[in-house]
């Protein structure tokens, strides 16, 4: 019986990646943490490493930089490159994902003069849209931004996007894995269509990196950015990564031209000449303390192997969906993520008209941490390095209890909470 606890335990016993869980700090063994897609757990190695880094600051003062740390943004970028199918010298770490979007959107539009259309979809993350709007305003509203609608709020509108890729298309930007529904774009397919039309593509890989295998070079990607605090376990607000295909780098300008992106920066000359290669996208001093924890997270994923991580992620999301079908669907829960694993990332969204209140009850009564995304998505994030099959089984059983005992009824509805929270 697939719904029994012993079946979950059996799956855990057979799991080749099970040993990685021990390498994370887990202070509450009863807590079922299903939000690793929003903020990953703390690796034990990171804890020791950070204490040591702080000591180095105290002891070495400005000489802190003269050790390995000065090149941290580039060195970590090269490490990250191995995880996302990029080459050395194509990735750097720094700033937030939002700021990196700004840099690449402006840089791309500058070399696409004469082309008016910017394309994205309504499944994209809000920052991406806000930033496009502001850039367009600053550039004199010369562009038209097409926000293509998903047919079902879940699935990427691939054909409609392709129909807009013609000689007037400047820039296409999409989330590789969609933050609400977990839909996965076929990056190679989209890149090929854009390339044929002469449009540039910027991928937001925040929900993909560390959860699905990414092959930036192999899929023909132009540019990409993404978060390192989700499936990479880099810590709250850890800086993002930025990727630019090698042969595109020299053509692009960094709109936040800071001294760290200038050739021979210690000349402190007042004239700006960008560094060669990807380092032209540096702006200011690297936030060394925020970047350093990205290392252990990426190392663990490289050690586990992204194909193995993906295999476990698919098995676990399938298992969760089977439990949803058997246990939760009868209570009115819908599946708000693609049923076919090929089109799904590593989180599963389930919907319910009482989703907001059920989510409150999961957190407050049942010691489960999912998260909620309007209108009705309860997102259940699976991070294969530390999520167990028993976690998934127990989460579904606790959700069943919430429904049987109507525990959610004591919470206010979302509409009355709006404006307060
Ligand atoms: C989490 C997330 C972001 C967040 O960007 P920040 O600048 O780090 O806040 C952006 N895009 C997507 C798709 C995300 O999932």
């Amino acid at each position: 019986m697939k719904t029994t606890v012993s079946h979950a335990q059996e799956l855990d016993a057979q799991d080749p990646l099970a040993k990685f869980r021990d390498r994370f700090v887990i202070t509450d063994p009863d807590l079922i943490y299903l939000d690793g897609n929003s903020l990953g757990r703390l690796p034990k190695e990171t804890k020791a490493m950070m204490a040591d880094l702080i000591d180095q600051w105290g002891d070495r003062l400005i000489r802190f930089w003269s050790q390995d740390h000065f090149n941290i943004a580039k060195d970590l970028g090269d490490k990250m490159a191995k995880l996302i199918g990029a080459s050395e010298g194509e990735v750097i770490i720094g700033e937030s994902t939002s700021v990196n979007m700004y840099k690449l959107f402006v840089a791309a539009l500058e070399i696409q003069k004469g082309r008016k259309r910017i394309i994205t979809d309504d499944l994209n993350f809000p920052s991406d849209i806000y930033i496009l709007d502001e850039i367009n305003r600053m550039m004199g509203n010369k562009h038209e931004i097409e926000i293509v609608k998903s047919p079902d709020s879940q699935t990427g509108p691939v054909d409609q996007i392709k129909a807009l890729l013609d000689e007037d298309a400047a820039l296409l930007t999409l989330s590789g894995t969609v933050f609400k529904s977990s839909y996965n774009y076929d990056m190679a397919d989209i890149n090929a269509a854009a390339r044929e039309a002469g449009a540039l593509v910027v991928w937001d890989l925040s929900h993909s990196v560390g959860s699905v295998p990414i092959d930036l070079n192999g899929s023909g990607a132009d540019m990409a950015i993404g978060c390192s605090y989700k499936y990479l376990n880099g810590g709250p607000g850890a800086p993002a990564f930025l990727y630019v295909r090698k042969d595109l780098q020299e053509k692009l300008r960094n709109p936040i031209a800071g001294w760290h992106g200038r050739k021979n920066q210690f000349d402190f000359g007042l004239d700006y000449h960008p560094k060669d290669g990807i380092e032209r996208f540096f702006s200011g001093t690297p936030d060394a303390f925020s970047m350093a924890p990205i290392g252990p997270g990426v190392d663990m994923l490289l050690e586990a192997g992204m194909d193995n991580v993906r295999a476990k992620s698919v098995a676990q999301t399938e298992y969760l969906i089977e439990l949803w079908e058997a246990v939760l669907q009868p209570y009115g829960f819908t599946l708000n993520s693609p049923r076919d694993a090929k089109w799904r990332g590593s989180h599963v969204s389930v919907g319910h008209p009482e989703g907001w209140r059920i989510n409150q009850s999961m957190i407050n009564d049942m010691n489960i941490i999912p998260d909620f995304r309007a209108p009705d998505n309860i997102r259940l994030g699976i991070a294969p390095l530390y999520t167990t099959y028993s976690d998934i089984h127990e989460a579904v059983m606790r959700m069943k209890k919430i429904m049987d005992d109507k525990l959610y009824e004591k919470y206010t509805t979302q509409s009355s909470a709006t404006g307060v929270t």
Side-chain angles (χ1 to χ4, degrees), residues 96-98 101 125 128 175 177 179 204 206-207 227 229-230:
S96 65
T97 298
S98 302
M101 270 173 220
F125 196 76
D128 302 55
S175 291
T177 305
F179 80 106
D204 183 343
S206 297
H207 262 80
C227 293
Y229 49 79
K230 295 173 176 170

Side-chain angles (χ1 to χ4, degrees), residues 13-267:
Q14 293 160 6
D15 170 17
L17 299 185
K19 59 175 193 266
F20 282 95
R21 183 175 164 92
D22 263 355
R23 287 161 65 175
F24 291 90
V25 172
I26 295 176
T27 56
D28 176 1
D30 179 68
L31 172 71
I32 300 173
Y33 190 62
L34 298 177
D35 211 11
N37 57 318
S38 234
L39 179 65
R41 281 189 182 272
L42 167 62
K44 285 177 182 165
E45 186 188 339
T46 299
K47 210 174 159 178
M49 190 189 76
M50 290 310 286
D52 177 54
L53 267 186
I54 287 176
D55 284 344
Q56 287 184 41
W57 167 31
D59 176 47
R60 298 190 55 81
L61 301 167
I62 192 69
R63 293 166 293 183
F64 174 91
W65 289 116
S66 67
Q67 298 196 320
D68 295 339
H69 308 310
F70 192 71
N71 294 320
I72 185 172
K74 168 81 169 40
D75 293 345
L76 269 179
D78 285 338
K79 189 194 285 280
M80 183 88 77
K82 295 184 199 142
L83 195 66
I84 56 182
S87 307
E88 211 168 280
E90 286 187 323
V91 182
I92 51 167
I93 308 293
E95 339 290 356
S96 65
T97 298
S98 302
V99 170
N100 284 320
M101 270 173 220
Y102 177 83
K103 289 183 178 182
L104 291 185
F105 292 167
V106 171
L109 290 173
E110 230 191 338
I111 62 165
Q112 292 284 59
K113 285 207 176 85
R115 289 171 175 253
K116 284 222 299 280
R117 189 176 308 123
I118 298 171
I119 307 156
T120 185
D121 68 10
D122 68 348
L123 303 173
N124 210 346
F125 196 76
S127 279
D128 302 55
I129 313 282
Y130 305 156
I131 289 168
L132 286 176
D133 279 340
E134 288 303 306
I135 291 171
N136 188 31
R137 188 181 55 76
M138 281 193 298
M139 291 178 107
N141 289 312
K142 284 186 308 223
H143 296 94
E144 26 177 274
I145 302 173
E146 298 275 359
I147 304 174
V148 185
K149 279 200 164 54
S150 161
D152 53 5
S153 303
Q154 269 187 41
T155 315
V158 174
D159 293 340
Q160 293 89 321
I161 288 169
K162 284 183 178 170
L164 290 169
L165 288 169
D166 60 20
E167 68 288 342
D168 209 22
L171 172 67
L172 166 63
T173 184
L174 296 167
S175 291
T177 305
V178 166
F179 80 106
K180 280 189 188 174
S181 74
S182 193
Y183 174 83
N184 253 338
Y185 273 99
D186 179 341
M187 289 175 59
D189 177 47
I190 299 281
N191 288 336
R195 177 78 55 99
E196 204 185 311
L200 289 169
V201 183
V202 177
W203 287 101
D204 183 343
L205 299 176
S206 297
H207 262 80
S208 315
V209 62
S211 69
V212 296
I214 297 163
D215 187 2
L216 287 170
N217 289 164
S219 70
D222 299 319
M223 288 166 274
I225 40 114
C227 293
S228 55
Y229 49 79
K230 295 173 176 170
Y231 294 102
L232 300 186
N233 308 298
F241 69 89
L242 174 150
Y243 157 88
V244 180
R245 206 180 75 214
K246 200 153 259 161
D247 65 292
L248 203 53
Q249 292 169 2
E250 304 295 320
K251 297 186 185 131
L252 298 178
R253 293 181 68 93
N254 177 358
I256 309 179
W259 73 295
H260 272 254
R262 185 194 184 269
K263 208 171 249 179
N264 304 321
Q265 73 199 85
F266 286 103
D267 291 354

